[in-house]
Amino acid sequence: MTGPHPRYRRTIAIPLGMAIATAMAFLPATASATGLSGTAAGATGAVSDVLASTATDGTALSYVVNVRPGHGPSAQVKKAIVKAGGTIVTSYDQIGVIVVHSSNPDFAKTVRKVRGVESAGNTRNAPLPAQSTTDEGTPKALSSAQMSAAQAAADAGQDPLESLQWDLPAIKADKAHEKSLGSSKVTVAVIDTGVDDTHPDLAPNFDRAASVNCVTGKPDTADGAWRPSAEESPHGTHVAGEIAAAKNGVGMTGVAPGVKVAGIKVSTTAGYFYTEAVVCGFMWAATHGVDVTNNSYYTDPWYFNCTDDPDQKALVEAVTRASRYAEKRGVVNVAAAGNENYDLAADEITDPVSPNDGTPSERVIDPSECFDIPTQLPGVVTVAATGAKGVKSSFSNYGLGVIDVAAPGGDSTAYQTPAPPATSGLILGTLPGGKWGYMAGTSMASPHAAAVAALIKSTHPYAPPALVKALLYAEADATPCTDPYDINGDGKVDAVCEGSKNRNGFYGWGTVDALDAVTK
């Protein structure tokens, strides 16, 4: 069987009660750029003006121009950018990435010839549409009857909806909470579609100082700028609740209910995560006290970015520089593996959805040269999804040497039915407006692993990212290959797992363990 193809490659939004196999609704991928304070070197116009012209003339695109890190764009490069018809939006001098808008279709080709420019490429293939053209598949909120039933089933000491959260005991988070809820000195940033910090389960743990809106390419720190609008996806809010919903007698419980959570909004209203936004998100996290980032998306518009293409190569380089910089500043970056049941370690993969903001065409890519970013970048923790039976989710990507760990991401209840009193095989999370609902995807697996990393950081506050990751892998519960893997029971093998019990293509080093994170 093949997996779904949502624009939110790592995100599957599923209306309550619908089976994944028959009624999946997918959240689109989104983008935004967040600049650092004081890094808008050489700006020649306001970002709002540039974006307004993009929407008006229908031809302006965004670009990244990569130069030598640590020096900022030289006068020669800045002059060449302007001469080629570009407007500098912001410059991340620490990593040598310049964000530019231009209506010149030959801008990147022209600038690549300039001395001092190491690579350059367009981050999108079409002007940003004013409105989304896809169904975001907003999940239905739990009904009052469902909430009452869950509360009646809750044990003493549990939050009202905790009985629905089969994912907590699946990684021993319920046992971990008896030892520690995590440290309020640790912050996990949700780089995503925005977080509703007014939600009663999120407000107690929200880190406003580490939150920002990065959609324009420069940071917008206005109060509430990180929140999703009513028209935008609830995805980031759902992820935030999985990580750090407070254990406060209200709603659900996060995996790390004592840590702080921040919202770094990088999603356009239309639902795209573009390179300049992702770069900005990592750079903001690097300089605002973030310990862990969760990345449940892929960078649009390319599902895989191939380094033999000069434009795509520039995008890989820009996001790599940003994620590496964040790690050097103490940040552990965690990302979802994707929802297409792809073997990311295969010799070739057919990508039928790129570019998703233009005219997609089916292309066969070499995974050794074409990368999902940030998921497959060096240093990033790549997370596969499991269902309520602890088996690889039907949709989860996999691959020996690619997957680092596995965590609950949900699956069709028909495939993996949870033990009562849980009623859905999907993952419960917070929704904007003080609500709760279900989603599934590796988008939901990644925040479970990010939260466990936050618990490790709470236990070992001086541990650098390399040690946090090493402990995450070492403490994971070894999970042997599921062989044969026939998730829907039709007699056909749906995926082949390679590797040993201690490290394999389905589960990496194993399923994350929250109890070990707070006791070892």
Side-chain angles (χ1 to χ4, degrees):
M1 67 186 290
T2 58
H5 295 284
R7 284 170 54 199
Y8 251 149
R9 178 159 137 228
R10 310 196 187 9
T11 309
I12 305 176
I14 307 172
L16 184 63
M18 290 187 175
I20 290 180
T22 59
M24 301 187 86
F26 307 117
L27 296 173
T30 43
S32 85
T34 192
L36 298 173
S37 300
T39 60
T44 58
V47 174
S48 58
D49 294 338
V50 176
L51 294 180
S53 70
T54 300
T56 301
D57 63 27
T59 57
L61 301 178
S62 294
Y63 296 81
V64 287
V65 178
N66 300 317
V67 297
R68 183 182 175 188
H71 299 276
S74 66
Q76 178 181 0
V77 170
K78 287 192 287 186
K79 182 177 180 181
I81 288 173
V82 173
K83 184 177 180 180
T87 299
I88 295 177
V89 176
T90 192
S91 176
Y92 301 93
D93 297 346
Q94 304 96 318
I95 60 171
V97 176
I98 311 167
V99 178
V100 178
H101 289 171
S102 177
S103 298
N104 177 8
D106 293 325
F107 174 80
K109 182 179 179 180
T110 301
V111 170
R112 280 195 287 264
K113 299 176 182 178
V114 176
R115 183 178 180 182
V117 172
E118 297 182 357
S119 60
N122 61 301
T123 69
R124 61 189 71 186
N125 288 277
L128 184 65
Q131 306 227 351
S132 174
T133 57
T134 60
D135 178 9
E136 294 192 352
T138 302
K140 295 180 181 178
L142 292 178
S143 67
S144 57
Q146 288 172 312
M147 294 182 69
S148 296
Q151 186 167 2
D155 293 333
Q158 288 188 327
D159 276 347
L161 302 181
E162 195 171 337
S163 63
L164 301 178
Q165 295 181 263
W166 58 264
D167 49 310
L168 295 185
I171 58 172
K172 306 172 195 170
D174 55 337
K175 300 298 183 184
H177 296 165
E178 297 174 5
K179 305 290 185 180
S180 172
L181 301 180
S183 172
S184 61
K185 295 181 179 180
V186 173
T187 294
V188 181
V190 177
I191 301 180
D192 213 299
T193 64
V195 174
D196 179 8
D197 57 298
T198 68
H199 194 290
D201 251 347
L202 298 177
N205 290 336
F206 195 74
D207 188 340
R208 300 169 75 86
S211 299
V212 72
N213 182 315
C214 283
V215 176
T216 65
K218 297 177 70 173
D220 178 359
T221 57
D223 186 55
W226 50 78
R227 297 173 193 146
S229 69
E231 295 76 32
E232 293 176 313
S233 168
H235 184 262
T237 302
H238 195 283
V239 165
E242 294 173 54
I243 294 169
K247 196 169 183 64
N248 58 353
V250 177
M252 61 177 286
T253 302
V255 174
V259 307
K260 295 294 186 182
V261 64
I264 298 180
K265 185 177 181 180
V266 296
S267 168
T268 68
T269 300
Y272 292 92
F273 292 82
Y274 286 116
T275 295
E276 64 271 25
V278 174
V279 166
C280 175
F282 282 124
M283 296 300 287
W284 179 270
T287 57
H288 287 81
V290 170
D291 299 285
V292 181
T293 67
N294 184 79
N295 303 271
S296 290
Y297 60 89
Y298 74 94
T299 304
D300 294 298
W302 302 96
Y303 194 115
F304 298 97
N305 292 266
C306 298
T307 54
D308 60 355
D309 177 279
D311 287 293
Q312 294 169 45
K313 177 182 178 180
L315 309 189
V316 173
E317 184 170 347
V319 178
T320 299
R321 290 183 182 189
S323 63
R324 283 291 208 186
Y325 182 79
E327 185 169 2
K328 289 178 181 178
R329 293 293 296 263
V331 182
V332 176
N333 299 310
V334 182
N339 298 329
E340 287 68 46
N341 195 33
Y342 284 157
D343 180 356
L344 298 176
D347 292 333
E348 60 182 38
I349 294 174
T350 300
D351 169 18
V353 299
S354 301
N356 63 11
D357 65 350
T359 303
S361 61
E362 190 169 285
R363 59 177 185 157
V364 177
I365 63 97
D366 179 351
S368 68
E369 296 181 355
C370 302
F371 307 103
D372 159 25
I373 55 176
T375 292
Q376 289 181 279
L377 295 182
V380 175
V381 178
T382 305
V383 187
T386 56
K389 296 299 183 183
V391 175
K392 184 187 89 71
S393 301
S394 56
F395 50 78
S396 180
N397 287 352
Y398 59 100
L400 182 62
V402 178
I403 301 302
D404 293 311
V405 290
D411 205 345
S412 168
T413 302
Y415 295 164
Q416 301 193 57
T417 305
T423 58
S424 173
L426 313 185
I427 303 295
L428 187 69
T430 46
L431 299 178
K435 300 176 182 179
W436 296 264
Y438 291 109
M439 291 187 182
T442 56
S443 275
M444 284 61 251
S446 182
H448 283 72
V452 173
L455 292 176
I456 292 173
K457 184 68 174 178
S458 299
T459 306
H460 305 279
Y462 302 107
L467 180 55
V468 173
K469 290 189 291 182
L471 290 172
L472 182 68
Y473 304 156
E475 294 172 358
D477 294 332
T479 307
C481 281
T482 304
D483 186 23
Y485 180 76
D486 177 15
I487 193 67
N488 57 3
D490 65 356
K492 298 179 181 178
V493 173
D494 297 314
V496 177
C497 179
E498 298 180 332
S500 65
K501 174 182 177 180
N502 294 319
R503 193 182 186 195
N504 57 63
F506 277 13
Y507 311 106
W509 295 101
T511 304
V512 296
D513 188 320
L515 181 58
D516 280 357
V518 300
T519 57
K520 294 185 177 181

